């Protein structure tokens, strides 16, 4: 370690990931990068990667990128499926054709031999499929996650998921089917009610948004064309926690609950689904332990995400069998395995705890080796600490501490001039409680993809010191910073042209104006002018003509 930088100190015990420079490879030969997945993480990586210095191959079972935040709108035809997908080959074409794309699914990764095994044509069960393998120097795993049933019996067989474009299209057809079935002559009222009972399991952002979309679809469009059954329609959200949208600010979560109550969307909180059969959902009410059978016409299961089987397999190979998701360090390198990176929903970043590194932080900050730290010495390194340990910044903000020196007050509230290691530990002891794992969102995946592309683009400059500190004033080198997430806020569309938003700086906004903000943000986030035109066109069409209700 050349400089006594904090970032380096803390990193010295990370086992994996250091770039192995292959000696016998000719200098001119480009390094091969294989990217698995063309979702948020994969495409954002491809958009920013400098392809003149790499040989890039992309593998994904879908030859398009899907703008997932608009999937709930696809379920009811507010926007069309074609409007939210962009062909991968269009994205690649813009990069002057040096990226190769293979429509195939990765089945296995062999980290020893740096090889991935793929198969084309299994998604659609095409008669003949082709197996092939690809060699890589760097592998980027960006395969996302799959729906999680928590092994609940019957879910796979009877429920819809809302993860892929195909899922959204299937839901749209099923909603219409339920209405068509409910108007058939000769049915009892009970049967009509059952057919028109739409149940959503999971009160997270996806479940809530879908419930709101469906409610609008039913009340703005379908009741007009199926007037005879309009009083039999019911939408229910089943949530195991006490509130829906519980990752949002409380104000938003109660606004959503009140809006749903006014709209007649039933919210069953504190209820767990035990099993699903072809006509009933078996629900356990947590408070009483009582079991209830709920008849349904359609169920959408939206309770969270799980790891794909081949990623599980890979985790076993690299010694991560006890982890829930694939774990990387803050440079997004898969732990326990060199030259493999993972981004987005398939991975989680293991953040370092301040308390684990406290002695080395102290030593590095104590420039004069006096055994105590003056406030000046601490102030000199605090920027580095905040980059390396973002929880310190959060702690300062949450405690409303304007200055770092406020960390070092004694019992009478006076700022100390010097602290020893014990005081230092005490001052920072609560800091790690601010650590939060990154959410599984498009925002995180896209930022990680862009970050990783930046790292690879600067690989040559950084090779000598891949994880050095940036701000060490003495060193003018280019170095890698650990990945830092910037939260830009989140939206929850609630139907009836109302939305709620949580923006940085504890800012919450709700209502019709927020829906307009939502429209403009999502229009601007579109990946191409083509999809932007299509999406905005769909919104206008819906406004004028309503949604299309043909199957
Ligand atoms: P994905 O985008 O899921 O991409 C995974 C890619 O890997 C896909 O191209 C897939 O085809 C491919 N793949 C799968 N298996 C293999 C394999 N074996 N080999 C090779 N490739 C494979 N996030 C937000 O920030 N805001 C929102 O409003 C929002 N709304 C959402 C609404 C819905 C309905 C859903 C489902 C998600 C929403 N999200 C939202 C979450 C967001 O979509 C995910 O966090 C994001 O897609 C994660 O990106 P990713 O690249 O990790 O995975
Ligand atoms: Mg991806
Ligand atoms: Mg995607
Ligand atoms: Mg993740
Ligand atoms: Mg000192």
């Amino acid at each position: 370690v050349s400089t006594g930088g904090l970032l380096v100190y803390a990193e010295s015990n990370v086992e994996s990931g250091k770039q192995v420079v292959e000696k016998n490879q000719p200098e001119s030969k480009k390094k091969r990068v294989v990217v698995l997945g063309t979702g948020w993480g994969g495409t954002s990586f491809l958009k920013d990667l400098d392809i003149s210095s790499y040989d890039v191959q992309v593998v994904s079972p879908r030859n398009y990128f899907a703008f997932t935040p608009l999937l709930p709108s696809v379920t009811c035809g507010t926007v069309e499926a074609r409007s939210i997908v962009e062909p991968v080959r269009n994205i690649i074409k813009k990069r002057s054709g040096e990226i190769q794309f293979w429509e195939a699914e990765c089945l296995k990764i062999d980290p020893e031999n740096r090889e991935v095994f793929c198969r084309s044509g299994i998604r659609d069960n095409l008669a003949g499929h082709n197996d092939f393998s690809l060699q890589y120097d760097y592998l980027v795993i960006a395969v996302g996650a799959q729906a999680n049933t928590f092994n609940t019996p019957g879910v796979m067989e009877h429920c819809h998921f809302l993860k892929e474009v195909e899922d959204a299209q299937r839901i749209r057809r099923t909603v219409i089917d339920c209405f068509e079935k409910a108007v058939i002559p000769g049915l009892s009222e009970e049967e009509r009610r059952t057919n028109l009972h739409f149940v959503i399991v999971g009160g997270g952002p996806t479940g809530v948004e879908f419930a709101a979309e469906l409610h609008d679809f039913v009340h703005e469009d379908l009741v007009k064309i199926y007037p005879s059954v309009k009083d039999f329609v019911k939408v229910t959200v089943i949530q195991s926690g006490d509130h829906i949208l519980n990752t949002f600010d409380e104000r938003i979560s109660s606004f959503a609950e009140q809006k749903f109550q006014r709209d007649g969307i039933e919210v069953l909180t504190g209820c767990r689904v035990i099993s699903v059969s072809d006509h009933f959902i078996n629900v356990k009410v947590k408070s009483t332990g009582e079991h209830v059978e709920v008849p349904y016409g359609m169920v959408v299961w939206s309770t969270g995400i799980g790891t794909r089987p081949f990623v599980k397999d890979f985790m076993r190979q690299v010694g991560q069998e006890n982890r829930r998701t694939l774990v990387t360090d803050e440079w997004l390198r898969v732990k326990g395995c060199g030259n493999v990176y993972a981004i987005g929903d398939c991975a989680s970043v293991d953040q370092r705890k301040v308390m684990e590194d406290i002695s080395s932080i102290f030593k590095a900050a104590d420039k004069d080796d006096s055994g105590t730290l003056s406030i000046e010495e601490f102030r000199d390194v605090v920027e580095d600490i905040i980059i390396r340990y973002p929880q310190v910044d959060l702690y300062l903000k949450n405690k409303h501490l304007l200055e770092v020196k406020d960390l070092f007050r004694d019992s009478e509230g006076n700022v100390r001039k010097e602290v020893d290691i014990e005081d230092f530990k005490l001052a920072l002891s609560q800091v790690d409680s601010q650590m939060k794992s990154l959410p599984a969102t498009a925002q995180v995946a896209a930022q990680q993809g862009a970050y990783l592309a930046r790292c690879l683009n600067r690989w040559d400059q950084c090779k000598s010191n891949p994880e050095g500190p940036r701000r060490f004033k003495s060193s003018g080198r280019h170095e890698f910073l650990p990945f830092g997430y910037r939260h830009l806020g989140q939206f929850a569309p609630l139907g009836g042209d109302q939305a709620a938003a949580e923006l940085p700086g504890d800012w919450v906004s709700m209502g019709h104006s927020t829906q307009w903000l939502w429209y403009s943000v999502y229009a601007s986030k579109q990946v191409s002018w083509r999809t932007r035109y299509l999406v905005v066109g769909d919104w206008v069409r819906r406004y004028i003509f309503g949604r299309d209700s043909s199957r």
Side-chain angles (χ1 to χ4, degrees):
V1 179
S2 51
T3 54
L6 282 168
L7 303 172
V8 178
Y9 262 77
E11 196 50 19
S12 54
N13 54 351
V14 168
E15 72 287 24
S16 69
K18 285 248 173 70
Q19 140 81 337
V20 184
V21 184
E22 278 167 35
K23 296 222 169 55
N24 47 10
Q25 205 172 17
E27 276 294 274
S28 63
K29 199 172 165 219
K30 286 187 194 171
K31 294 275 188 209
R32 293 157 302 185
V33 176
V34 171
V35 182
L36 304 179
T38 52
W40 280 97
T43 46
S44 115
F45 173 77
L46 289 172
K47 262 187 248 157
D48 287 354
L49 185 69
D50 172 10
I51 48 176
S52 62
S53 37
Y54 293 102
D55 201 354
V56 186
Q57 305 192 62
V58 183
V59 177
S60 175
R62 294 180 177 78
N63 71 353
Y64 55 78
F65 161 83
F67 192 87
T68 48
L70 290 182
L71 270 185
S73 310
V74 173
T75 57
C76 300
T78 309
V79 297
E80 292 295 328
R82 293 251 162 216
S83 307
I84 66 159
V85 304
E86 180 71 6
V88 175
R89 290 182 190 280
N90 275 4
I91 298 172
I92 288 173
K93 198 174 63 193
K94 293 186 188 136
R95 315 296 322 271
S96 66
E98 293 199 49
I99 302 174
Q100 287 176 299
F101 173 73
W102 317 118
E103 188 181 278
E105 189 163 332
C106 174
L107 299 180
K108 188 177 155 54
I109 301 169
D110 178 357
E112 294 270 291
N113 300 307
R114 299 200 189 158
E115 204 173 1
V116 292
F117 296 92
C118 308
R119 177 170 294 177
S120 74
I122 48 177
R123 188 166 59 89
D124 305 315
N125 291 320
L126 296 182
H129 46 240
N130 258 318
D131 287 5
F132 60 96
S133 75
L134 302 170
Q135 298 267 331
Y136 64 83
D137 295 304
Y138 306 113
L139 177 66
V140 178
I141 307 178
V143 294
Q146 61 184 28
N148 196 346
T149 66
F150 299 97
N151 295 321
T152 312
V155 173
M156 270 299 175
E157 296 85 340
H158 304 296
C159 297
H160 288 264
F161 299 108
L162 182 46
K163 277 292 289 170
E164 311 287 349
V165 177
E166 296 95 321
D167 296 335
Q169 291 172 308
R170 219 174 292 129
I171 289 175
R172 182 175 175 181
R173 285 194 300 270
T174 309
V175 171
I176 305 293
D177 276 348
C178 289
F179 273 87
E180 292 295 351
K181 272 192 229 159
V183 292
I184 297 279
L187 293 188
S188 70
E189 191 185 307
E190 211 44 48
E191 286 167 316
R192 295 190 210 278
R193 275 186 204 283
T194 299
N195 276 325
L196 294 175
H197 189 201
F198 301 97
V199 180
I200 294 113
V201 185
T206 302
V208 166
E209 187 177 346
F210 171 65
E213 255 315 313
L214 183 63
H215 174 267
D216 284 1
F217 185 28
V218 167
H219 290 271
E220 289 167 14
D221 302 288
L222 295 179
V223 293
K224 294 184 201 148
I225 44 186
Y226 302 97
S228 62
V229 290
K230 73 174 199 291
D231 296 330
F232 302 146
V233 185
K234 188 169 162 200
V235 178
T236 303
V237 178
I238 300 178
Q239 158 77 334
S240 63
D242 292 336
H243 294 282
I244 56 173
L245 293 184
N246 54 17
T247 57
F248 281 74
D249 192 283
E250 269 170 48
R251 285 166 284 180
I252 290 181
S253 141
S254 54
F255 179 79
E257 282 169 0
Q258 284 160 17
K259 171 145 197 326
F260 276 14
Q261 199 179 7
R262 283 197 303 274
D263 288 346
I265 299 174
E266 186 171 13
V267 177
L268 299 175
T269 53
C271 289
R272 246 191 60 211
V273 173
I274 303 296
S275 66
V276 183
S277 68
D278 52 0
H279 288 106
F280 294 97
I281 311 174
N282 186 349
V283 177
K284 182 176 171 187
V285 183
K286 279 182 176 172
S287 53
T288 60
E290 167 196 12
H291 286 245
V292 188
E293 299 244 283
V294 182
Y296 68 84
M298 180 178 97
V299 188
V300 173
W301 186 268
S302 161
T303 57
I305 54 174
T307 308
R308 295 188 189 281
F310 92 97
V311 176
K312 270 257 155 65
D313 221 43
F314 174 62
M315 287 165 64
R316 267 191 292 276
Q317 291 182 67
V318 297
Q320 292 194 13
E321 54 274 348
N322 298 325
R323 308 297 297 244
R324 275 199 307 154
T325 50
L326 187 58
V327 173
T328 70
D329 65 15
E330 292 126 309
W331 285 268
L332 310 183
R333 302 174 299 193
V334 170
K335 285 197 165 176
C337 171
N339 290 14
V340 181
Y341 300 83
I343 55 180
D345 285 4
C346 66
S348 70
V349 179
D350 238 1
Q351 287 157 294
R352 284 200 73 81
K353 295 200 177 86
V354 170
M355 289 320 272
E356 275 171 10
D357 300 330
I358 192 98
S359 316
S360 35
I361 296 174
F362 187 85
K363 241 196 257 152
D366 183 17
K367 290 262 170 45
D368 59 3
D369 284 327
S370 61
T372 57
L373 216 57
S374 65
I375 293 300
E376 285 68 40
E377 279 175 326
F378 185 70
R379 201 174 277 147
D380 262 359
V381 294
V382 74
E383 272 181 282
D384 278 348
I385 294 182
I386 284 174
I387 290 170
R388 189 68 187 78
Y389 308 93
Q391 64 265 39
V392 175
D393 202 27
L394 279 177
Y395 182 78
L396 292 173
K397 284 200 186 110
N398 288 348
K399 291 271 165 200
H400 304 289
L401 298 180
L402 296 176
E403 288 208 61
V404 292
K405 67 170 198 251
D406 295 328
L407 275 172
F408 299 105
R409 290 188 186 273
D410 62 18
S411 47
E412 270 121 57
N414 305 313
V415 176
R416 301 181 214 210
K417 292 229 161 56
E418 303 239 297
V419 291
D420 62 15
I421 178 89
E422 291 311 318
D423 297 332
F424 190 61
K425 278 186 188 164
L426 198 65
L428 296 179
S429 57
Q430 297 300 314
V431 164
D432 288 325
S433 65
Q434 300 292 319
M435 280 204 300
K436 265 198 257 154
S437 55
L438 298 176
T441 61
Q443 243 183 86
V444 170
Q447 288 182 25
Q448 289 183 331
Y451 164 84
L452 194 58
R454 267 196 317 274
C455 290
L456 287 190
N457 291 346
R458 290 177 10 200
W459 196 243
D460 283 337
Q461 294 148 303
C462 306
K463 220 177 332 198
S464 52
N465 191 1
E467 59 245 347
R470 177 177 63 171
R471 283 172 208 271
F472 259 74
K473 285 143 196 151
S474 54
S475 83
R477 280 192 312 265
H478 298 265
E479 285 135 345
F480 286 153
L481 288 174
F483 171 71
Y485 170 57
R486 217 155 57 88
H487 186 60
L488 303 174
Q490 56 182 346
F491 281 101
L494 297 172
D497 263 336
Q498 296 200 47
E502 202 178 287
L503 299 162
D506 203 24
W507 213 73
V508 165
S509 110
M510 290 168 285
H512 292 284
S513 56
T514 313
Q515 180 73 17
W516 285 101
L517 186 64
W518 182 89
Y519 281 130
S520 59
V521 167
Y522 281 94
S524 75
K525 293 272 179 214
Q526 291 302 313
V527 282
S528 72
W529 280 99
R530 192 186 65 88
T531 56
R532 189 169 301 133
Y533 174 82
L534 291 172
V535 164
V536 174
D538 286 346
W539 286 335
V540 174
R541 172 186 48 75
R542 191 225 95 192
Y543 202 76
I544 302 173
F545 301 110
R547 300 169 184 84
D548 178 3
S549 58
S550 62
R551 189 178 182 281

